[in-house]
Amino acid sequence: MEKKQNVFEVEIKIEKDEFDKAMEKALDKKIKTASVDGFRKGHVPKDVYLKKFGKESLYMDAVNELLPQAYDKVFEEHKDLKPIIEPKVDLRALSDQGVTFAFTITTMPEIEIKKYKGLKVKKEEAKVTKEEIEHEIGHILERYTELSIKEDGAVEDGDVAVIDFEGFKDGKAFEGGKGENYSLTIGSHTFIPGFEEQIIGMKKGEEKDINVTFPDDYQAEDLKGKEVTFKVKVNEIKTKVKREMDKEFFEDLGLEGVDSKEALEKEVEANIKVNKEADIENAYIDELLKKIAENTTVTIPEELIEEEISALIKRFEQQIRMQGLSLEVFYQMTKSDEKALREQMREEAKNHVLYRFILEEVKNKEGIAVTKEEAEKELEELSKKYNMSKEEFLKAYGDIDMLMYEMEVKKTLDFLKENN
């Protein structure tokens, strides 16, 4: 076994007798699907198969058969090795006499924390201003705004114009440029720049040619920077009717105990405060860990940073998918690529890994642990909270070990906060 810092290389040789058994299994599988003239599929004699395809055709199947066995052997012989990322494996030697695997195992690096108590990191107090409350109530009123049909008058900024439209480039209709009874909120900037502004002033039933130029960075290559004409007809105009905080509004709102402006202000203030407290708590923990990191010496394996970057990108992709975007569209919009995104996320990923190392080291130093009983109690409470059986919750969450790990992290963070 070779060691370089916290990276170990372990060679495992599988001897001839085990290799021969794996070759036999590989041969049994191959002849079930092999096609040889004169024989039915699945009935090719072993000697005929070997004569036609050669024993070398079985090698990689035998190797794959033996790999789990070699993996288990590594940790039977080296029980002290605790990998922090999936071990890498190389095929070092392969012949009739057996196979040799080389496993590269990265373990927890040595970490030195000079100080993690008495750091004097200050935590902000969550305060909610009157302006914030009024701003949020304004959003609520906007969400519950009703639309009424404007029988007379023209389209104004903020109105909803129900339109038919068709786009033409060089006199020919282009793909994706047509819509019927489309509800366009004027001022939403969902159409090409200049389009919505030219709708203002149109009346119900009016038709008009609107000339606009597509942006230079538009996603459709054949339309980038091109001048086009949209033939537009206004079918209907709807105007927003501002809601009043009356009995009907509070009934629509459906919040228990909220039946007046004063009650709504208290509800909104409480919600803003809860969100602020959560943000402040997260910022406080980040600052605390950042302070500890300044007093920490450790070499972080590059593979672990890359692995964390991949995890961050996966989470980011899930987030933008909820907004109807894909990574491909995001790259087009931002004129970037995966390489640029990975580089952008590198520092955050490095900090994530570093903070995990710090928490693990503090946990070990202070003997912080979670018992099975504590985990079972937490599992009971969480499954009740989410109205799930314990089995369903664990299936969604991971397993009991994952729950115990998360509880240990929380205990460690609580310890750091108490001793700050």
Side-chain angles (χ1 to χ4, degrees):
M1 180 175 70
E2 293 183 13
K3 178 185 177 183
K4 183 182 177 183
Q5 289 184 334
N6 60 306
V7 180
F8 298 80
E9 187 179 274
V10 180
E11 279 196 359
I12 295 293
K13 183 174 182 183
I14 305 296
E15 300 294 345
K16 186 178 186 318
D17 56 343
E18 289 298 322
F19 184 69
D20 288 344
K21 289 176 188 176
M23 288 283 283
E24 193 66 26
K25 282 186 180 179
L27 180 57
D28 289 340
K29 287 180 182 177
K30 287 287 190 185
I31 60 176
K32 288 178 182 177
T33 57
S35 295
V36 177
D37 292 343
F39 297 92
R40 283 185 298 142
K41 193 173 182 178
H43 291 78
V44 179
K46 292 182 179 180
D47 59 333
V48 173
Y49 176 91
L50 290 171
K51 187 175 180 181
K52 181 173 176 61
F53 298 103
K55 63 184 178 182
E56 292 80 10
S57 67
L58 305 173
Y59 278 174
M60 291 318 297
D61 288 72
V63 166
N64 290 333
E65 178 76 29
L66 292 167
L67 187 55
Q69 180 182 330
Y71 188 91
D72 291 342
K73 195 173 180 182
V74 170
F75 297 105
E76 282 172 14
E77 294 180 1
H78 303 279
K79 292 184 171 64
D80 55 323
L81 292 183
K82 307 292 181 188
I84 55 172
I85 55 175
E86 189 69 29
K88 292 181 180 177
V89 59
D90 290 317
L91 189 58
R92 186 59 55 84
L94 175 61
S95 71
D96 289 345
Q97 299 307 306
V99 57
T100 302
F101 296 100
F103 290 88
T104 303
I105 300 162
T106 304
T107 61
M108 187 76 175
E110 290 183 8
I111 178 169
E112 182 187 356
I113 305 177
K114 297 181 180 70
K115 186 176 182 181
Y116 58 86
K117 296 178 185 177
L119 297 168
K120 307 269 189 270
V121 175
K122 291 183 179 179
K123 183 178 178 180
E124 287 183 36
E125 185 183 345
K127 294 178 181 178
V128 182
T129 66
K130 186 178 179 181
E131 290 74 21
E132 287 173 325
I133 296 169
E134 289 174 353
H135 183 74
E136 181 57 31
I137 289 176
H139 278 307
I140 295 170
L141 287 168
E142 181 70 23
R143 285 199 297 273
Y144 282 86
T145 293
E146 295 176 338
L147 293 173
S148 68
I149 295 172
K150 185 187 282 189
E151 297 294 349
D152 298 312
V155 176
E156 298 177 48
D157 192 19
D159 284 348
V160 175
V162 182
I163 61 173
D164 294 340
F165 62 89
E166 187 169 14
F168 295 84
K169 186 185 78 168
D170 300 328
K172 293 182 179 179
F174 56 84
E175 189 177 347
K178 186 176 182 179
E180 293 181 353
N181 288 320
Y182 183 89
S183 293
L184 174 63
T185 301
I186 306 302
S188 63
H189 306 296
T190 52
F191 267 45
I192 304 160
F195 184 95
E196 293 172 26
E197 291 82 350
Q198 295 182 63
I199 298 287
I200 294 173
M202 290 181 70
K203 295 182 178 180
K204 180 181 177 181
E206 185 178 343
E207 297 183 26
K208 182 179 179 180
D209 285 357
I210 290 177
N211 298 310
V212 290
T213 302
F214 275 95
D216 292 332
D217 59 353
Y218 193 69
Q219 54 212 43
E221 285 292 332
D222 59 333
L223 292 174
K224 285 182 177 180
K226 301 295 182 183
E227 291 183 4
V228 298
T229 298
F230 281 94
K231 293 188 178 297
V232 178
K233 180 184 178 183
V234 175
N235 298 323
E236 194 173 54
I237 305 169
K238 297 177 182 179
T239 189
K240 294 179 180 179
V241 179
K242 187 178 178 182
R243 291 296 298 268
E244 299 297 330
M245 282 194 268
D246 51 20
K247 183 180 179 182
E248 187 181 345
F249 169 72
F250 290 116
E251 285 174 356
D252 289 347
L253 205 55
L255 293 173
E256 189 177 345
V258 177
D259 55 6
S260 67
K261 182 184 177 183
E262 292 72 22
L264 179 59
E265 286 174 341
K266 286 181 180 178
E267 178 76 13
V268 167
E269 182 180 11
N271 288 337
I272 293 174
K273 191 170 185 180
V274 165
N275 290 329
K276 276 196 169 188
E277 284 174 342
D279 290 341
I280 288 170
E281 178 70 9
N282 289 334
Y284 171 59
I285 290 170
D286 272 349
E287 190 59 32
L288 199 55
L289 291 171
K290 183 181 175 183
K291 205 76 174 173
I292 298 171
E294 290 170 3
N295 292 282
T296 299
T297 304
V298 64
T299 301
I300 301 175
E302 187 61 30
E303 296 88 345
L304 206 56
I305 296 173
E306 290 296 329
E307 191 177 80
E308 184 64 22
I309 292 172
S310 296
L312 287 175
I313 289 177
K314 190 174 180 180
R315 284 201 289 274
F316 176 69
E317 183 177 16
Q318 290 169 344
Q319 288 168 1
I320 63 173
R321 280 197 184 282
M322 291 172 70
Q323 300 167 24
L325 293 174
S326 66
L327 272 179
E328 290 71 25
V329 172
F330 170 80
Y331 292 144
Q332 287 176 6
M333 289 170 63
T334 57
K335 296 184 178 66
S336 64
D337 53 23
E338 184 180 346
K339 184 180 178 182
L341 185 59
R342 292 186 75 86
E343 194 56 39
Q344 185 183 326
M345 291 184 166
R346 178 166 295 279
E347 193 62 27
E348 183 183 357
K350 186 178 178 181
N351 286 335
H352 281 197
V353 176
L354 175 57
Y355 294 166
R356 282 207 300 270
F357 283 177
I358 287 169
L359 290 169
E360 185 70 20
E361 180 67 8
V362 172
K363 177 175 77 74
N364 293 336
K365 273 178 175 273
E366 299 296 334
I368 297 168
V370 171
T371 65
K372 283 281 186 183
E373 290 73 22
E374 286 175 315
E376 285 292 340
K377 185 181 177 184
E378 181 73 1
L379 175 59
E380 185 81 35
E381 290 174 1
L382 288 171
S383 56
K384 282 180 182 176
K385 179 181 176 180
Y386 293 104
N387 197 25
M388 300 167 75
S389 69
K390 289 193 283 188
E391 292 74 20
E392 287 171 336
F393 180 84
L394 278 183
K395 188 176 179 181
Y397 193 86
D399 55 29
I400 196 72
D401 290 334
M402 177 69 75
L403 179 60
M404 289 179 75
Y405 171 77
E406 294 291 344
M407 290 174 69
E408 285 175 349
V409 168
K410 186 179 181 304
K411 266 192 174 185
T412 306
L413 285 170
D414 288 343
F415 171 85
L416 290 173
K417 287 187 282 186
E418 287 165 11
N419 289 273
N420 174 45

